[in-house]
Amino acid sequence: KTDTIIFYNQGTAPLYILNIDISNTIFSTEDNSFTVAPNDSHLLIVQFTPVNEGVFQSSLVLSHDADGSPTTILLSGVGKKRMNDGEMQTTIGYFSNGILDSQWLLMSIPMELDNKSVSVLRSQLPGENPWKIISYINGEFNDISNSGNAFQLTRGFWFKTVAKKHRFHLYFNSGQLVSTLSHSIPIPSGWSLIGSPFYPQDASWSPINIDTNSIGVRIYKYNELQKKWEGPLNPATEKLQPFAGYAVWNGTGANTTFTFLRNENQNVIPEFQNSDGWFAKIAVGKSVMRIGQHRNAQNGNDYYDYPMAPANPEMKSDESYIAGKLWSDIRSNNESLLKWKVYVNPKTVHSISMKEISQLPNDWKIVVQGIPSAKEYELNEGASILISRNITTPFVAEIIAGPKSLVDAELPSQFSLEQNYPNPFNPSTNIRFTIHEPRFTTLKIYDVLGREVATLFSGELETGKYNFIWEGKSDRGEVVGSGVYFARLQTKEFTKTIKMELMK
């Protein structure tokens, strides 16, 4: 790097610079002496050529014929490492075992590239439209497959290519590495996709929970083999790797400064300590959801509640989630009986299991209700309940936690069918009912002419509360038109029909 020092001579006689001495040899100049005419100027070019990374300083001493000779000028510079074409490769970091072909990957580039265009991949991934690259900005996907500014430092992006049929590596053009020990970026409230700016080191981050009253952020990584999110990452044990992309949830409700820290270990205070409350982690298919109570939590949305991470761009079937599309819903300690509604898509979810229970009061229990063809089931740690493969209609299960006496009293005492919600609806509606005793049960949809449109369920149901979701489709999978429809629940001794309206 070069910089310029400008000398002005405002006097009436020439100024003679007799000698220039620089104490550190990584700073240099071609001039050793020069003359500045009256009312004229001279440009002194100083060259900075560091041999490694870091901050460097030197003194430039000028001997001259004016008063105050010699004059000392302080020089400083920051040495940053550059990478040449092809030196930056995915052989280091998250994709060190190779990039998967034909899969959505969450990636980033840990360098300030000279050329940020996706065209740098052209020689490596030939063919017509060989890749798709999608960013996530302001809560929406943004196709940057042809962008000239796609590969920005710290930007996370979805990447998929059809140009390869096996694992492969990518390399990138020349650019400059981040040499500092930390690097900060602003992140908005909600979800962002990011990547570490450091190469080849891993990174930790802040803000994290460093005391019982502090608020951090949550980071998820995407498992491309299992096509699911994993996390939140534990900042005490897990790091951000070069080339990986991550989803960051900023639940503070305001813009926040997010800081990457190069290879730094941090002391993290767990959210749940002995007197804070309890939590449980329940696996519903690929989704691991968290429920519980905390003394600092509110019953409305707060920092302890967070939603699903952004799905990959082609995900068509909904993952399971707690009502409100949450993956974590922590309540206050003011309630003694708690209920969570969990959306279940039986096409992708075949079991519900308890992964972990921490600090649950001794006289409490957690049960799940509303799984078709299954009884109310107590979810002890390690317990798992299978969902019948014959169930194809989406439904809502209910997780209930509280003192054993209150939970046991929740079983219904009669048969009932509630009005669907929402009504009118588009595109789906909830149909809720209770079964007092185990019975063969049918739940069917009819049109105004009495013709059967869809069978949502037909089979034995145990005592419990149920919630099926009609997505406005016939048994053949065809989307039905706007109009009035009827849902009929029927058992041996109970029949009831409700009127529903589909509006498009």
Side-chain angles (χ1 to χ4, degrees):
K1 180 181 179 180
T2 61
D3 209 343
T4 303
I5 302 174
I6 305 177
F7 294 88
Y8 292 97
N9 181 4
Q10 297 177 333
T12 59
L15 172 64
Y16 297 99
I17 305 299
L18 306 175
N19 186 56
I20 301 174
D21 181 53
I22 301 178
S23 59
N24 191 332
T25 57
I26 64 174
F27 297 90
S28 62
T29 178
E30 294 183 356
D31 291 337
N32 187 49
S33 61
F34 56 87
T35 301
V36 186
N39 297 314
D40 201 356
S41 61
H42 180 85
L43 304 183
L44 178 65
I45 307 298
V46 178
Q47 185 76 27
F48 174 57
T49 54
V51 294
N52 49 41
E53 298 176 81
V55 178
F56 300 90
Q57 294 183 333
S58 180
S59 58
L60 183 151
V61 180
L62 296 167
S63 300
H64 51 82
D65 66 343
D67 294 341
S69 180
T71 298
T72 300
I73 299 173
L74 295 180
L75 305 176
S76 65
V78 178
K80 296 183 178 181
K81 184 177 180 180
R82 282 189 58 81
M83 303 288 280
N84 297 320
D85 285 353
E87 289 183 337
M88 172 66 73
Q89 299 190 25
T90 55
T91 52
I92 292 178
Y94 185 77
F95 296 106
S96 58
N97 292 324
I99 293 174
L100 290 173
D101 63 289
S102 303
Q103 298 278 359
W104 280 109
L105 314 168
L106 192 52
M107 296 186 65
S108 66
I109 309 300
M111 182 174 70
E112 189 71 56
L113 293 173
D114 294 338
N115 180 3
K116 299 177 177 60
S117 171
V118 294
S119 63
V120 301
L121 303 179
R122 174 55 61 188
S123 63
Q124 304 171 67
L125 302 174
E128 185 177 354
N129 299 320
W131 59 69
K132 291 288 287 184
I133 303 176
I134 308 292
S135 66
Y136 187 81
I137 302 173
N138 296 326
E140 296 181 351
F141 289 123
N142 181 29
D143 191 334
I144 56 173
S145 301
N146 299 305
S147 172
N149 196 32
F151 299 140
Q152 298 179 26
L153 185 70
T154 72
R155 167 185 273 178
F157 56 85
W158 291 103
F159 172 85
K160 181 180 181 180
T161 182
V162 295
K164 299 285 186 178
K165 299 299 181 185
H166 50 77
R167 284 182 178 266
F168 62 98
H169 284 287
L170 288 175
Y171 56 87
F172 296 88
N173 67 325
S174 58
Q176 189 164 281
L177 297 182
V178 173
S179 60
T180 54
L181 295 178
S182 66
H183 183 83
S184 296
I185 60 172
I187 56 171
S189 176
W191 286 108
S192 300
L193 298 183
I194 66 161
S196 172
F198 300 139
Y199 181 91
Q201 301 89 353
D202 294 343
S204 55
W205 67 91
S206 73
I208 57 173
N209 294 338
I210 56 175
D211 59 55
T212 56
N213 296 314
S214 65
I215 294 179
V217 297
R218 305 183 190 279
I219 298 182
Y220 283 79
K221 65 180 178 182
Y222 185 70
N223 184 326
E224 61 274 359
L225 289 174
Q226 299 184 22
K227 299 179 182 179
K228 71 173 186 178
W229 289 99
E230 295 177 347
L233 302 188
N234 183 349
T237 58
E238 297 180 275
K239 300 285 184 73
L240 309 181
Q241 294 182 274
F243 289 109
Y246 299 88
V248 174
W249 170 249
N250 171 15
T252 64
N255 291 346
T256 298
T257 297
F258 183 92
T259 301
F260 301 90
L261 304 167
R262 192 190 300 265
N263 266 346
E264 182 173 324
N265 294 320
Q266 301 187 87
N267 295 321
V268 182
I269 300 295
E271 282 187 335
F272 284 82
Q273 301 185 73
N274 291 335
S275 60
D276 288 338
W278 65 273
F279 71 89
K281 292 183 178 180
I282 302 173
V284 184
K286 295 179 179 180
S287 301
V288 178
M289 293 171 281
R290 188 179 71 161
I291 63 174
Q293 292 176 292
H294 194 286
R295 62 184 178 88
N296 293 330
Q298 303 173 12
N299 284 337
N301 284 337
D302 62 9
Y303 176 67
Y304 296 95
D305 310 319
Y306 46 88
M308 301 170 62
N312 76 53
E314 288 183 348
M315 185 172 289
K316 296 180 180 179
S317 59
D318 286 327
E319 293 293 327
S320 296
Y321 51 82
I322 300 172
K325 292 205 171 182
L326 297 176
W327 273 0
S328 176
D329 187 1
I330 303 298
R331 311 284 179 80
S332 74
N333 283 340
N334 298 328
E335 298 182 60
S336 56
L337 185 68
L338 302 104
K339 301 177 182 180
W340 291 266
K341 295 185 181 298
V342 179
Y343 172 90
V344 180
N345 182 354
K347 296 177 182 178
T348 58
V349 174
H350 306 297
S351 66
I352 296 177
S353 58
M354 180 63 76
K355 307 295 289 185
E356 180 184 0
I357 301 177
S358 178
Q359 302 173 173
L360 185 72
N362 291 332
D363 62 337
W364 280 42
K365 71 176 183 179
I366 303 173
V367 301
V368 57
Q369 285 188 5
I371 299 177
S373 301
K375 296 181 179 180
E376 176 184 274
Y377 192 82
E378 184 171 357
L379 291 173
N380 297 311
E381 188 165 316
S384 181
I385 182 171
L386 297 178
I387 297 172
S388 172
R389 298 276 180 160
N390 295 325
I391 308 300
T392 58
T393 301
F395 63 91
V396 176
E398 190 169 56
I399 308 294
I400 304 175
K404 296 176 181 178
S405 60
L406 295 180
V407 173
D408 292 341
E410 281 296 298
L411 288 175
S413 58
Q414 62 183 8
F415 293 95
S416 69
L417 172 63
E418 300 178 25
Q419 185 63 48
N420 64 304
Y421 178 82
N423 191 42
F425 68 95
N426 179 27
S428 63
T429 189
N430 291 266
I431 303 174
R432 296 173 289 192
F433 59 94
T434 61
I435 299 297
H436 173 42
E437 295 177 346
R439 287 292 186 272
F440 184 88
T441 305
T442 60
L443 178 63
K444 296 187 177 184
I445 308 297
Y446 298 88
D447 64 17
V448 291
L449 299 178
R451 295 175 298 193
E452 184 177 318
V453 175
T455 298
L456 301 188
F457 183 79
S458 179
E460 292 288 337
L461 283 181
E462 297 288 340
T463 302
K465 300 176 181 180
Y466 296 90
N467 184 344
F468 282 90
I469 299 172
W470 185 42
E471 298 178 313
K473 296 180 181 179
S474 70
D475 281 339
R476 295 187 296 272
E478 299 169 343
V479 177
V480 302
S482 300
V484 173
Y485 296 86
F486 299 90
R488 178 180 298 167
L489 178 72
Q490 188 166 11
T491 69
K492 180 180 179 181
E493 62 273 86
F494 178 83
T495 299
K496 185 175 179 180
T497 302
I498 58 173
K499 180 180 177 181
M500 309 181 297
E501 185 175 3
L502 172 59
M503 296 183 66
K504 294 186 178 180

